[in-house]
Amino acid sequence: MSSEWPLRALEDIAKEVTVGFVGSMAPEYVENGVPFLRSLNIDPFGINTKDLKFVSPEFHRKIKKSALRPGDVVIVRTGKPGTCAVVPDWLDDANCSDLVIARCGAEIRPKFLCYWINSAASHHISSHLVGAVQQHFNVGAAKKMLVATPSLWEQDQVISVLGSIDDRITLLRETNATLEAIAKALFKSWFVDFDPVRAKAEGLEPEGMDAATAVLFSDSFEESELGLVPKGWKLVPFGELLIHTIGGDWGDETPSEKNDTRVAIIRGTDIPDLQSGAANRVPLRYTSTKKLATRKLQDGDLVLEVSGGSKDQPTGRALYLTEALLGQFDCPVEPASFCRLLRPIDRNIGLLLAQHLTYIYGIGKTWEYQNQSTGIANFQTTHFLESELVAVPPREVLAVFADVVRSIVDSGHLSQIQNLASLRDTLLPRLISGQLRLPEAEVMVEEVCA
């Protein structure tokens, strides 16, 4: 392979470069219909279905220019500008909002173009962002983007090596998603539906647990301000289960006399990436030792997104921190200024609070704690901490729950995903520039995956 591959403008090698629907979508969403992708559904190199929305077939037909088909390359305009993925074969009919859509011509493979945009094109994208409050990458700049065009054979070789890494990452993420679903189901069963208590109240054995665990649950309910709760359980305001909470930090891009300490800053937009094992987009900045002293994240802490939501996406996303996750960074870690640090009274309570936040966000309850100001949605943190009630069981029940959930969280954070992603990001610019020979890259992949 040659490092002197010809460069051509995207508009010259694509059949079409256009942009998805731009405008308010909230009235158009339906419970079931045509999948509708937004920027949060676009990961580097792949599509995720978190909080996937749907539109009616009628709306889909009305905005044909936004229709997606397998093989289309989509580029995020706002939120995470430049993040790029290929529409997969399983998404055979879809639509989208606020994405640049590129349909490849005969001289460029969609996957090769995706790898190029996620790597070599980053400088072009960052230098062409526009907008003061919310920066975006427009379709005009996308059309002028220069793309390497090696032979199709060479493109296929690059795709083969990098694709093998992506396949492994996908498998690990699917495994993690299954484990996360188990944790969510357990929380809902024990702390929302109170299934074990209901079973015992009816004289039945609780399902899915051994006798030693079943005996820990009561067999009756008592009245509370929110209705029936298991006897011996308490409804406690969220804030009373914390020993420390403080707003985040942003610091400076470069070190200064005041801000001389290098830190990683977790933003709300980073939470989905970190939950799936990717830490490579978390910005590194500089802060003061005084601010870091009260904001440095530690094992068992929670980061809560408190600003930056939109009409379609509420604030309130949360991330549970572990030593494994923090260990992915070579410096201290803080929440960003649009987030908040929540430190629970102990580890078991922290795992309960993490699942509680995940649950209420999933059912849309965090909308109740959101207000709109000057176009930016903010989370009413004080109101939430005082008003949101958490069902707290006896410590023996909580300990069993925490042991199960912590093992699931650790399994996800300790997976190979970050190592594989780092390898891909290391190989990517060298492979697509032709600076690294394929046999050398294949050996590196096998060593990491061994």
Side-chain angles (χ1 to χ4, degrees):
M1 294 189 296
S2 170
S3 60
E4 298 179 354
W5 287 335
L7 296 173
R8 299 179 61 187
L10 179 59
E11 62 183 344
D12 294 333
I13 57 174
K15 294 178 182 177
E16 182 181 15
V17 182
T18 185
V19 66
F21 180 80
V22 177
S24 176
M25 284 298 305
E28 306 296 341
Y29 293 139
V30 296
E31 187 172 345
N32 291 294
V34 179
F36 193 84
L37 300 183
R38 299 168 293 157
S39 60
L40 62 86
N41 299 120
I42 312 302
D43 292 329
F45 316 106
I47 304 293
N48 74 72
T49 57
K50 290 182 179 179
D51 197 24
L52 181 63
K53 301 294 185 181
F54 299 89
V55 294
S56 67
E58 293 75 21
F59 184 83
H60 177 54
R61 289 191 291 268
K62 186 171 68 175
I63 51 171
K64 289 183 178 179
K65 86 181 196 79
S66 297
L68 298 172
R69 49 182 178 264
D72 285 350
V73 177
V74 290
I75 310 168
V76 173
R77 295 182 68 243
T78 59
K80 298 181 290 185
T83 303
C84 179
V86 179
V87 177
D89 291 340
W90 55 263
L91 200 60
D92 57 358
D93 196 22
N95 213 298
C96 69
S97 172
D98 213 23
L99 302 176
V100 172
I101 307 166
R103 298 191 168 101
C104 293
E107 299 173 84
I108 192 76
R109 302 286 198 214
K111 283 190 176 181
F112 184 86
L113 177 60
C114 176
Y115 286 131
W116 177 269
I117 293 172
N118 277 314
S119 177
S122 59
H123 176 71
H124 174 90
I125 292 166
S126 62
S127 63
H128 286 81
L129 296 180
V130 297
V133 177
Q134 187 173 34
Q135 292 190 313
H136 65 274
F137 181 61
N138 62 41
V139 68
K143 290 180 179 180
K144 302 301 180 183
M145 183 191 308
L146 295 179
V147 180
T149 54
S151 70
L152 294 180
W153 180 86
E154 289 172 308
Q155 292 181 42
D156 288 339
Q157 300 309 299
V158 171
I159 291 169
S160 176
V161 173
L162 296 175
S164 67
I165 300 176
D166 284 338
D167 289 344
R168 287 178 169 91
I169 291 174
T170 298
L171 180 60
L172 288 169
R173 283 182 173 159
E174 290 173 350
T175 301
N176 285 351
T178 300
L179 293 173
E180 288 172 9
I182 291 172
K184 291 177 182 178
L186 182 66
F187 173 82
K188 186 174 185 296
S189 176
W190 287 18
F191 296 91
V192 178
D193 299 330
F194 307 125
D195 289 334
V197 180
R198 294 187 187 280
K200 293 182 71 173
E202 296 173 7
L204 304 173
E205 290 296 324
E207 296 182 0
M209 63 179 62
D210 56 29
T213 302
V215 77
L216 301 177
F217 288 86
S218 64
D219 58 4
S220 61
F221 291 87
E222 54 190 10
E223 288 289 345
S224 76
E225 56 189 288
L226 293 182
L228 293 176
V229 296
K231 186 176 182 180
W233 291 42
K234 297 178 181 179
L235 290 176
V236 183
F238 198 106
E240 292 184 14
L241 298 171
L242 305 176
I243 57 172
H244 176 57
T245 177
I246 192 170
D249 185 21
W250 189 233
D252 292 334
E253 186 175 353
T254 57
S256 64
E257 184 176 347
K258 177 182 177 182
N259 294 329
D260 59 357
T261 303
R262 183 170 173 267
V263 292
I265 302 283
I266 294 178
R267 306 162 297 178
T269 191
D270 298 315
I271 289 176
D273 289 342
L274 291 167
Q275 288 172 331
S276 62
N280 55 314
R281 289 181 175 268
V282 175
L284 300 177
R285 297 177 67 84
Y286 293 84
T287 190
S288 66
T289 54
K290 182 179 179 180
K291 284 190 174 182
L292 179 61
T294 54
R295 292 169 176 82
K296 181 179 178 181
L297 293 167
Q298 63 188 41
D299 185 285
D301 282 349
L302 295 163
V303 170
L304 176 67
E305 178 189 39
V306 296
S307 187
S310 67
K311 293 180 180 179
D312 301 328
Q313 177 184 309
T315 52
R317 290 182 293 187
L319 177 69
Y320 179 81
L321 279 302
T322 65
E323 290 180 0
L325 188 57
L326 294 168
Q328 295 181 20
F329 302 95
D330 62 356
C331 60
V333 185
E334 288 184 325
S337 51
F338 278 11
C339 292
R340 191 170 189 89
L341 183 158
L342 307 178
R343 182 161 295 156
I345 57 178
D346 61 44
R347 194 181 81 163
N348 289 356
I349 287 293
L351 289 158
L352 174 61
L353 295 183
Q355 290 300 313
H356 184 96
L357 286 167
T358 298
Y359 176 74
I360 64 172
Y361 186 84
I363 64 172
K365 190 180 181 183
T366 56
W367 283 111
E368 299 176 11
Y369 298 107
Q370 183 168 288
N371 58 26
Q372 200 80 21
S373 174
T374 63
I376 297 178
N378 296 302
F379 195 73
Q380 300 176 62
T381 308
T382 301
H383 175 45
F384 170 79
L385 295 179
E386 293 175 350
S387 304
E388 181 63 24
L389 299 179
V390 180
V392 180
R395 62 181 183 181
E396 295 83 4
V397 173
L398 181 59
V400 173
F401 174 79
D403 283 345
V404 174
V405 173
R406 179 67 190 217
S407 65
I408 289 174
V409 172
D410 284 340
S411 177
H413 289 177
L414 289 169
S415 75
Q416 276 190 314
I417 290 176
Q418 184 60 29
N419 290 339
L420 288 169
S422 296
L423 174 63
R424 180 192 59 202
D425 294 344
T426 299
L427 296 180
L428 181 51
R430 298 173 63 191
L431 274 175
I432 62 175
S433 66
Q435 296 173 353
L436 180 67
R437 296 176 59 84
L438 283 168
E440 296 171 345
E442 290 168 347
V443 169
M444 294 172 70
V445 172
E446 290 304 319
E447 287 178 348
V448 169
C449 297

